[in-house]
Amino acid sequence: MSGANKRQKTRSIANEIDRYHAVEIEPRWQARWEADQLYKAEVDPERKKFYFLTMLPYTSGDMHIGHWFAMTPSDARARYLRMCGYNVMFPIGFDAFGLPAENAAIARDIHPKEWTYKNIENMRRQLRTMGAVWDWSREAISADPKYYHWTQWFFLKMFANDLTYKKMSPVDWCPQCNTTLAREQVVGEKRVCERCGTPVIKKDLDQWFFRITNYAEELLDFSTLDWPEAVKLLQTNWIGRSEGASVVFKTEDGDPIEVFTTRPDTLWGATFMVLAPEHPLVDKLTTPAQHEAVHEYITEAVRQTDIEREALDKEKTGVFTGGFAINPVKDERIPVWIADYVLMTYGTGAIMAVPAHDQRDFEFARTFNLEIRPAILPDGVESLDGETMTEAIPAYGTMINSGPLTGTPGDESFNRANAYLEEKGTGKFAINYRLHDWLISRQRYWGAPIPMVICTKCGIVPVPEDQLPVVLPDDIEWRPTGESPLKFHPTWKNTTCPECGGPAERETDTMDTFMCSSWYHLRYLSPDYDKGPFDQKEYDYWMPVDSYTGGMEHATMHLIYTRFFHKAFRDIGIMEGHEPMLQQRNQGQILGPDGQRMSKSRGNVVDPDEQVQKYGADAVRAYLMFGYRWSEGGPWNPDNIQGVIRWLNRTWMVVLDTADAKGGKSDPEAERALQRKMHQTIKQVSHDIENFEFNTVISALMELTNELSASRDAGLAGTPAFKKAVETLLLLMAPPTPHIAEELWARLGKPYSIHNQPWPDYDPELAKEEQITLIVQVNGKVRDRIMVDAGINEEDARAAALASEAAQRFMEGKEPKEVIVVPGRLVNIVV
């Protein structure tokens, strides 16, 4: 029997005896890592820190494969950074308050706390099966009183610094259930209550807001952030900064109607005004003859969403109030209408309509036979007649029909119109934002109580800090209407006024859960600290967050709120620095095998528990990294994971087959090739993990395994070069596939733990290819490929290309006019 056949037979026998059993190996290592507190992160001024954060999961009950796709590649990068010498903190916790938990509890007739904490227990178990570097000693749960104690404390600090206020604001309201509804509870095109099917209306309630608009300008500054351009663009558009003028029109009774316009130079073309149906002046402006029509229109308009109302292709509707306003630049009386395309949430809830130069105003004017008067004449247009225009004309050009400013050229019109308004005292330059203040009130039970009391004598009074937390009562009863039990609790809402000592009532609204998630990264610093929201020593060492990963869907709410929160408390004196998270990256989404978004109703949810039990955590981790670009995702394919499983088994065989190999056949050329591949792999894997390119990490490791397998079969097993390459492969596998790497490292007799070993360095010289393929072109067309030394100079590359038989054939004996050399890539011979 030949030596190769003997080795193959020996391997077959060994593999039958000692195969890779992930289900047995992985839990054993997870238990040891946790018992040894291998990943416990502690302040160490002698080491460079790295705060790595992935978005905390919501306590829905079961994790799905999408959680793994978000978390395990991030975990691989955190592990890599540990091996690079960083003191890494990678914490985990649970976003535990909110409407979904409350609705689930109502549907199951159990308490939200019971439902939530059972889910947390299950999710902890699932998270542990990932084998991630979670520091469980830093776990934070937003529904714990020791957590929301400090959520309430932050609210009080906002209130004390005039960043919190209360005002009337519209909410979605079910008149049958007599309760406010969250967006998720308003369903269908007809916008009905999900509980009873009654059409939803808008209703004004007294609600709490944060002054996030105070920070609109600063939130547009991304200069210190390494964030995706797509996220920065989404936030920029959400904030919606625009320059223009604030102009004051007046009703015939003298009431001011403020409007914001980006084109003050078109004021002379304003022929009517439009107010949002909810505008406070509508009632006063509406004449008796128009009252019924206006009331009916308002009732229908306020049932629509802002998106529906702003749709450009929507049929233009509106009602004349019967009232008039005065155009301040012409002292001209113009009619005031209401229309659903004007929103109270943008600008002032009132617009001046310039139908000649705004398409939506033009369509409205044509629908209701209102005057169209041009105020701008674009270059190249001889004249404009409002009666014959078929569409609005862009408002860029010379001012016409504009009184004293007629003839002003387009490049001066904006500034001159603003100066004219300021001179007359009817307007001024202004900046407007689409962003509006953050409404944090929720008329729900399962949330952090707002720490305020209402006293008939003293008004609204904050709860003293030494009385925090205001704890949710456990003994609650759900009403059939779904109204918050806090409103009807027999004792909880009754309290004593902190100022006068008289009877008072607690605020029964709870906080938006985005408030809880705006500071959870700070509670991870010291989750059991009871003298403040965080231990300053921990803050000084760990903050800011160095890298933050999560879904793109959080770009315009959570990520903006978190930035605002940090900046506000920087100004209050509690935080430092301008940003909470320096780097941010987004993963894509794993779809069901059918290519659709995963949902229980579709029956296409992939359960990670089942996958781990079937294939092992490392196989699932590696497949999620290998099978998809992390920033894009894609449909789950149960067949494709087999390639990853074969790779892990092949690695197991290569390492164990050669663990005790002695000597080995010396072959300098083969050893140099293996060494070169090893250094190339170190270089590529290091680069790709740094840049979140996890799919090519796994493919590079597969290639190195193949090279080792070929080298083993060529007799190199036992040589120093081979052993070094095997050890390097395991070190490179440790971040993406931590369990098998740890097991094989131990079987090689190496010191525990592989995850405490330094990341291997690569030598650029040793990683260089000895030869490269040089493309030879003649007149730009590829005619040959030749092998040359990797470091070939331009003169030798030119000579080698000209000597090519294929090049000589296509040159047909002609002398070249020019020879263009692109070093290391190609030579183009021009004849």
Side-chain angles (χ1 to χ4, degrees), residues 439-545:
L439 169 60
I440 69 152
S441 288
R442 296 294 181 271
Q443 293 74 40
R444 318 304 317 162
Y445 163 75
W446 192 234
I450 294 176
M452 307 295 283
V453 299
I454 296 92
C455 173
T456 54
K457 180 179 178 182
C458 305
I460 298 174
V461 181
V463 173
E465 290 183 19
D466 61 6
Q467 293 182 22
L468 298 180
V470 177
V471 179
L472 286 171
D474 288 334
D475 56 331
I476 57 168
E477 292 184 11
W478 298 108
R479 296 203 161 210
T481 61
E483 292 174 277
S484 171
L486 298 179
K487 293 168 61 177
F488 306 100
H489 194 280
T491 60
W492 182 84
K493 74 172 184 176
N494 298 318
T495 187
T496 300
C497 175
E499 289 190 1
C500 70
E505 289 190 354
R506 295 192 184 281
E507 171 63 77
T508 58
D509 282 358
T510 54
M511 288 188 235
D512 180 6
T513 54
F514 280 118
M515 175 64 173
C516 303
S517 60
S518 289
W519 75 279
Y520 75 98
H521 57 286
L522 299 172
R523 195 57 181 169
Y524 284 152
L525 302 176
S526 41
D528 297 316
Y529 192 65
D530 62 1
K531 296 180 178 60
F534 52 80
D535 184 337
Q536 190 65 44
K537 180 182 70 174
E538 297 273 344
Y539 182 97
D540 292 342
Y541 180 73
W542 292 110
M543 283 295 289
V545 174

Side-chain angles (χ1 to χ4, degrees), residues 38-54:
L38 190 66
Y39 306 125
K40 184 174 175 59
E42 296 182 319
V43 171
D44 184 354
E46 300 302 314
R47 298 175 63 196
K48 187 176 180 180
K49 69 91 180 181
F50 198 100
Y51 187 173
F52 204 131
L53 184 65
T54 189

Side-chain angles (χ1 to χ4, degrees), residues 28 38 89 126 142 196 282 327 356 410 437 453 461 568 655 756:
R28 173 160 45 82
L38 190 66
M89 179 169 72
Q126 291 182 301
S142 63
C196 67
V282 171
N327 184 330
D437 281 341
V453 299
V461 181
V655 174
N756 286 339

Side-chain angles (χ1 to χ4, degrees), residues 335-579:
V336 181
W337 288 64
I338 61 170
D340 56 11
Y341 72 88
V342 180
L343 307 175
M344 283 303 298
T345 52
Y346 180 66
T348 63
I351 67 164
M352 61 177 212
V354 186
H357 305 296
D358 181 279
Q359 186 61 27
R360 190 151 50 177
D361 293 345
F362 179 89
E363 293 171 8
F364 192 92
R366 281 284 185 254
T367 300
F368 297 104
N369 197 29
L370 299 168
E371 181 186 0
I372 297 174
R373 181 191 305 152
I376 300 290
L377 186 66
D379 295 339
V381 178
E382 292 186 5
S383 63
L384 285 175
D385 182 352
E387 292 187 5
T388 60
M389 289 173 64
T390 58
E391 61 181 357
I393 301 299
Y396 298 96
T398 303
M399 295 178 68
I400 59 174
N401 302 322
S402 300
L405 297 191
T406 296
T408 302
D411 58 352
E412 299 177 18
S413 60
F414 180 88
N415 290 333
R416 286 195 62 186
N418 264 332
Y420 182 80
L421 289 170
E422 292 199 19
E423 182 182 331
K424 286 198 67 176
T426 57
K428 60 182 180 180
F429 173 79
I431 297 173
N432 190 56
Y433 303 93
R434 286 192 63 88
L435 180 71
H436 47 274
D437 281 341
W438 176 6
L439 169 60
I440 69 152
S441 288
R442 296 294 181 271
Q443 293 74 40
R444 318 304 317 162
Y445 163 75
W446 192 234
I450 294 176
M452 307 295 283
V453 299
I454 296 92
C455 173
T456 54
K457 180 179 178 182
C458 305
I460 298 174
V461 181
V463 173
E465 290 183 19
D466 61 6
Q467 293 182 22
L468 298 180
V470 177
V471 179
L472 286 171
D474 288 334
D475 56 331
I476 57 168
E477 292 184 11
W478 298 108
R479 296 203 161 210
T481 61
E483 292 174 277
S484 171
L486 298 179
K487 293 168 61 177
F488 306 100
H489 194 280
T491 60
W492 182 84
K493 74 172 184 176
N494 298 318
T495 187
T496 300
C497 175
E499 289 190 1
C500 70
E505 289 190 354
R506 295 192 184 281
E507 171 63 77
T508 58
D509 282 358
T510 54
M511 288 188 235
D512 180 6
T513 54
F514 280 118
M515 175 64 173
C516 303
S517 60
S518 289
W519 75 279
Y520 75 98
H521 57 286
L522 299 172
R523 195 57 181 169
Y524 284 152
L525 302 176
S526 41
D528 297 316
Y529 192 65
D530 62 1
K531 296 180 178 60
F534 52 80
D535 184 337
Q536 190 65 44
K537 180 182 70 174
E538 297 273 344
Y539 182 97
D540 292 342
Y541 180 73
W542 292 110
M543 283 295 289
V545 174
D546 295 284
S547 191
Y548 191 32
T549 60
M552 177 74 78
E553 67 272 17
H554 298 291
T556 55
M557 297 185 79
H558 162 61
L559 289 174
I560 285 184
Y561 294 151
T562 300
R563 294 180 65 213
F564 156 67
F565 191 96
H566 183 91
K567 294 172 187 297
F569 284 99
R570 171 206 61 197
D571 291 348
I572 292 171
I574 295 170
M575 318 257 186
E576 296 177 1
H578 299 302
E579 297 286 349

Side-chain angles (χ1 to χ4, degrees), residues 624-685:
L624 287 170
M625 293 182 221
F626 176 63
Y628 312 89
R629 289 197 66 182
W630 190 67
S631 60
E632 296 175 3
W636 175 266
N637 188 327
D639 297 328
N640 290 351
I641 197 172
Q642 296 301 323
V644 169
I645 294 166
R646 287 192 294 271
W647 165 59
L648 292 176
N649 283 318
R650 189 163 61 250
T651 301
W652 180 268
M653 291 165 57
V654 167
V655 174
L656 292 189
D657 282 357
T658 58
D660 299 321
K662 307 295 183 185
K665 182 175 68 176
S666 179
D667 183 339
E669 185 175 341
E671 290 177 50
R672 172 72 186 96
L674 178 59
Q675 184 184 50
R676 181 167 58 248
K677 187 64 175 178
M678 180 186 77
H679 282 273
Q680 289 174 343
T681 306
I682 297 170
K683 178 183 179 182
Q684 181 177 342
V685 170

Side-chain angles (χ1 to χ4, degrees), residues 144-154 465 467-470 519 530:
D144 279 355
K146 69 178 182 180
Y147 184 101
Y148 68 76
H149 174 148
W150 301 107
T151 304
Q152 293 171 343
W153 182 86
F154 279 121
E465 290 183 19
Q467 293 182 22
L468 298 180
V470 177
W519 75 279
D530 62 1

